Amino acid sequence: MLELDLRSRLPIYEQLVEKIKTLIMEDVLKADEQLPSVRTLAQELTINPNTIQKAYKALEREGYIYTVKGKGNFVQKIEKGDQREKLMLLKTELKKILSEAIYLGMGKDEILKVIEEVENNVGRDQND
Amino acid sequence: MLELDLRSRLPIYEQLVEKIKTLIMEDVLKADEQLPSVRTLAQELTINPNTIQKAYKALEREGYIYTVKGKGNFVQKIEKGDQREKLMLLKTELKKILSEAIYLGMGKDEILKVIEEVENNVGRDQND
Amino acid sequence: MLELDLRSRLPIYEQLVEKIKTLIMEDVLKADEQLPSVRTLAQELTINPNTIQKAYKALEREGYIYTVKGKGNFVQKIEKGDQREKLMLLKTELKKILSEAIYLGMGKDEILKVIEEVENNVGRDQND
Amino acid sequence: MLELDLRSRLPIYEQLVEKIKTLIMEDVLKADEQLPSVRTLAQELTINPNTIQKAYKALEREGYIYTVKGKGNFVQKIEKGDQREKLMLLKTELKKILSEAIYLGMGKDEILKVIEEVENNVGRDQND
DNA sequence: GTGGTCTAGACCACA
DNA sequence: GTGGTCTAGACCACA
């Protein structure tokens, strides 16, 4: 489920962050569900526990999980209100990538198709 | 025109690449226009010439500028055809960002507005 | 193993690229084998680490090695498929050199002997 | 006839050398034929006379043309005997390029086709 | 004047 | 320990 590309130029801990974020967004990991412990996951993926720790800390800072001392890490139910700051950043990134894509010839129809596709994946829990 | 954030975790040379790409895409820098020389720009921005070199080389590899030894660096007119590979990568990035944006509550209307805005900036010279 | 000609007009980093490419093509450096670290090689060859970096980055861009941050550089197993563009360039170079060689009197037999010799070196692992 | 690519990473004077060599090898420029004067060619190509001068000097050094003071530059009839040193260099280059081409999947049939094609172009004067 | 290469050396991120 | 970035500064090739 958590496949890492050790050769990627993207640091391992960032890959972990991305993957786990995706699982949360797609509702595979449900709110308040417990994540595997740092040690367990480290063993499973045969990578350094410090790397897992770093990923979990990042996810916590971004509001995707919360930590209960002595218990473990759990999926945070995101409040879809107070995310203005984060959304501003994403908007900026979105503009950058869309600019280059359009400049290089990606058509509006193709972009719309991507949006639809993404909506279907992410929106899953909204239909529940 | 080229404001750098020296505190940013994004390397200076990458910031430069982004900024110059944008200027080219928005047709502020026109095809075959000469870029400031490595040394000149280094002085202006008070950063090391090697850093400018690195940025210019990256832009050259990506097909945004071309270099004439002993003359300088110039804006490349992009051939909007054989960019499939690049577009694939951009599509993947697009999905990632859109996923997070939608998950955090960005509405479809807002996304469409961003697309429109970007189209106006990038497409400028195509409507003239 | 990696002898450099400091007097050559060919930049040191390009000499390095050529030498390492050859070692990879001749299967002396096997897939996933680790290359000497930037610093180690710099010391061994008594040249600047930045120069090694430049060579390694070029090899990475050409698909001959891959980098794992914090770990090192490793030999990439080349996918012998989607190299059309590169092969076109090589064909052009081939024509240029063959033209001059034939013009200056190199016989077809001699050329065929070169091909055979090269095939034996490069193809080594394919016959195993 | 002499089209230059000012954007090429290959220096202009080297491009000139290549082009003129080719014309000589293909017998378009015949033995003892006079080349355009430095000034004439400079005007025609709208490049600096020094650049032409440099190219002519290089061609002279390589034995492709000879200079008669006060008269001009003329095509040298190449003696296809004493070119051993040059042929050694070409052979080395040939090996390098063939190695990479074969490694990346160029077939023997394709290489043979290139040889044939080149033979037809260069060999023209040998059939006269 | 313009880009290209290289050195010596520092500091940071990642594992 | 390993790669990545950056500075200060020198010297060369090309136009």
Side-chain angles (χ1 to χ4, degrees), chain B residues 112-126:
Chain B
L112 292 177
K113 230 164 59 190
V114 170
I115 296 177
E116 225 174 298
E117 191 184 331
V118 168
E119 271 181 328
N120 285 336
N121 285 332
V122 174
R124 194 180 297 162
D125 60 328
Q126 298 170 336

Side-chain angles (χ1 to χ4, degrees), chain A residues 26-125:
Chain A
E26 293 178 351
D27 211 33
V28 176
L29 290 172
K30 319 275 187 189
D32 294 317
E33 187 173 339
Q34 183 166 10
L35 294 165
S37 82
V38 169
R39 280 177 205 163
T40 309
L41 196 50
Q43 267 187 338
E44 255 181 52
L45 303 175
T46 56
I47 57 177
N48 198 302
N50 292 331
T51 306
I52 310 282
Q53 191 56 267
K54 195 163 184 177
Y56 279 7
K57 279 295 152 222
L59 284 164
E60 198 185 356
R61 262 197 314 278
E62 293 195 51
Y64 280 86
I65 68 175
Y66 61 91
T67 303
V68 181
K69 267 186 205 167
K71 284 286 185 107
N73 294 277
F74 303 85
V75 176
Q76 177 76 273
K77 180 153 194 63
I78 288 231
E79 346 68 78
K80 308 198 181 187
D82 232 32
Q83 302 282 3
R84 280 185 216 165
E85 205 183 331
K86 190 80 186 275
L87 279 172
M88 288 292 288
L89 288 175
L90 285 171
K91 216 169 173 174
T92 305
E93 276 194 84
L94 194 56
K95 275 184 198 167
K96 209 191 74 183
I97 290 169
L98 273 176
S99 296
E100 194 158 2
I102 289 173
Y103 182 66
L104 294 178
M106 189 181 288
K108 192 162 179 175
D109 50 336
E110 208 168 346
I111 298 172
L112 293 177
K113 230 164 58 189
V114 171
I115 296 178
E116 226 173 300
E117 190 183 331
V118 168
E119 271 180 328
N120 286 336
N121 286 331
V122 174
R124 193 180 297 164
D125 62 328

